[in-house]
Amino acid sequence: MNNIILIKNAELYAPQRLGKMDVVIAGGRIAAVGNDFNLAGSNLPVTVIDASDCYLTPGFVDSLVHFIGGGGEGGFATRTPEMQLTDATLGGVTTAVGVLGTDATTRTLTNLLAKAHALDSEGITTYCHTGSYEIPCRTLTGNITDDLILIDKFIGVGEIAISDHRSSQPTTDEIRKVAAAARVGGILAGKSGVVSVHMGAGERILLPIYQAVAGTELKLKQFYPTHMNRNRRVFEAGLEFATKGGVIDFTTSTTDFDLQHGEVAAAAALAEALEFGIKPMQLTLSSDGNASLPIYNDEGELLGLQVGSVQSLYQSARQAITQHKVSLSDAICSITAAPAAILGLKQKGRIATGLDADIVLLRRDDLAIDTVIAKGKLLVQQGEALVKGTFER
Ligand code: ZN
């Protein structure tokens, strides 16, 4: 059962800065936000948290995670492992969106959906995208529109791969059909119907999206390209896309090899995009957690492989603040309000009365994660997991 929780005297970032506030949580929701609340005489079972030393932010929203692992670019032994509950919670993530990846043959939507339900019952909120890297997309019911209407957890489609040697080299028409199906499914189900786009390192960059939108009623804003910090050219193409009104996503999981070979670190990308004049609500970070991070040489041969980490989401936001002078509010926006908005998650990503009680307390001195509350339940306190996944020790 969820207790009533009273958080006292936190410096509140909703994600906009609201100053010193108290927050009351009841029934899994934010019941009240204000000053000087006192429930001492109420005779209710209340847990009081003194947060005078903390910033209070919304729980983090990770818009792209491979819940059931991904990859396999180096053969079966390189298929990456599943995510566990504390991979998310110890990194402040209380909402995550699961996707398939390069491999939609041995990784399936049924398995993804089952894992999403498991993580949900363990404590966080999960959603998924239907579809796959390849087009025609893998679906559960045989049809993207039906998947979005009939399956609660499906909120969009993707990540579909473009400008990548691992893509299905989709035609303009194929991309149009996917976006149109997601649009109709989204409208009828009251969901975003967003098209998550995996951006490869190919020369064409966003051209396939522009070609798909041209001459149709599709909107650029329905496409949500990720890995837009993959290299300098892709990053600059992303700035242009955002200038036209789109939302772009930077991937926080990385390797030293990638950073030495032209990847723009997500924290630096966020700082530079803000400096360029892109609005905070058009910039998001996602972890690409549990993805494979393959390292290729110029001939396309696989040199090695690492695993993406959900906790890199928080680490990159922190780095943006501490090393790149991004304001706390803007950095937090990129992992809360901005992804929640593009994904159409109205109960998530902000602190306001009536919204889901997903909350992170960051220590003011070092920005370490102290407390994580998801759906009104304390999952992390003093940086330690109070709740673990079913098979975690
Ligand atoms: Zn991807």
Side-chain angles (χ1 to χ4, degrees), residues 12 21 172 194 202 211 255 279 285 320 386:
L12 202 149
M21 294 282 213
T172 301
V194 70
Q211 287 173 333
T255 63
K279 293 193 184 81
L285 306 185
L386 302 180

Side-chain angles (χ1 to χ4, degrees), residues 20-283:
K20 248 195 189 336
M21 294 282 213
D22 296 345
V23 174
V24 181
I25 294 167
R29 298 277 174 95
I30 297 170
V33 181
N35 291 111
D36 301 324
F37 290 141
N38 187 354
L39 301 178
S42 67
N43 202 21
L44 291 166
V46 181
T47 303
V48 179
I49 298 173
D50 174 14
S52 326
D53 298 335
C54 292
Y55 298 117
L56 186 153
T57 78
F60 306 153
V61 178
D62 193 341
S63 64
L64 198 121
V65 184
H66 298 274
F67 293 155
I68 53 172
E73 285 96 334
F76 292 114
T78 63
R79 296 165 80 255
T80 61
E82 282 194 0
M83 178 195 138
Q84 301 296 327
L85 179 71
T86 61
D87 294 339
T89 56
L90 289 173
V93 170
T94 55
T95 301
V97 181
V99 296
L100 296 178
T102 317
D103 174 8
T105 301
T106 76
R107 311 283 190 183
T108 62
L109 287 171
T110 47
N111 193 6
L112 180 67
L113 206 50
K115 179 70 183 183
H117 279 290
L119 290 165
D120 218 293
S121 53
E122 288 174 344
I124 61 172
T125 303
T126 57
Y127 300 95
C128 301
H129 290 323
T130 185
S132 49
Y133 260 34
E134 69 203 57
I135 303 177
C137 282
R138 304 289 173 131
T139 65
L140 215 54
T141 63
N143 179 306
I144 291 168
T145 307
D146 290 3
D147 273 13
L148 285 177
I149 295 171
L150 299 174
I151 297 161
D152 286 349
K153 280 201 179 297
F154 285 158
I155 57 172
V157 62
E159 48 177 337
I160 62 162
I162 63 166
S163 306
D164 193 292
H165 63 103
R166 291 163 291 178
S167 79
S168 59
Q169 307 301 336
T171 63
T172 301
D173 208 41
E174 282 180 319
I175 297 172
R176 281 180 179 153
K177 296 286 185 208
V178 166
R183 166 90 184 143
V184 174
I187 291 170
L188 293 176
K191 299 173 178 177
S192 75
V194 70
V195 182
S196 165
V197 178
H198 161 103
M199 176 55 58
E203 294 282 306
R204 290 174 293 167
I205 318 180
L206 286 162
L207 189 63
I209 304 297
Y210 293 126
Q211 287 173 333
V213 170
T216 73
E217 290 73 33
L218 294 171
K219 296 270 189 298
L220 217 49
K221 278 182 152 178
Q222 197 193 339
F223 294 90
Y224 179 29
T226 185
H227 316 317
M228 294 308 291
N229 53 327
R230 181 182 289 285
N231 60 43
R232 192 77 214 166
R233 285 183 61 245
V234 169
F235 173 70
E236 283 170 7
L239 294 183
E240 191 190 335
F241 183 80
T243 305
K244 296 176 196 292
V247 175
I248 52 174
D249 183 64
F250 302 129
T251 301
T252 58
S253 287
T254 188
T255 63
D256 288 342
F257 182 92
D258 287 320
L259 290 172
Q260 285 155 16
H261 288 77
E263 183 173 307
V264 186
L270 177 65
E272 192 177 334
L274 287 164
E275 184 80 7
F276 186 79
I278 308 299
K279 293 193 184 81
M281 285 298 282
Q282 289 176 267
L283 299 166

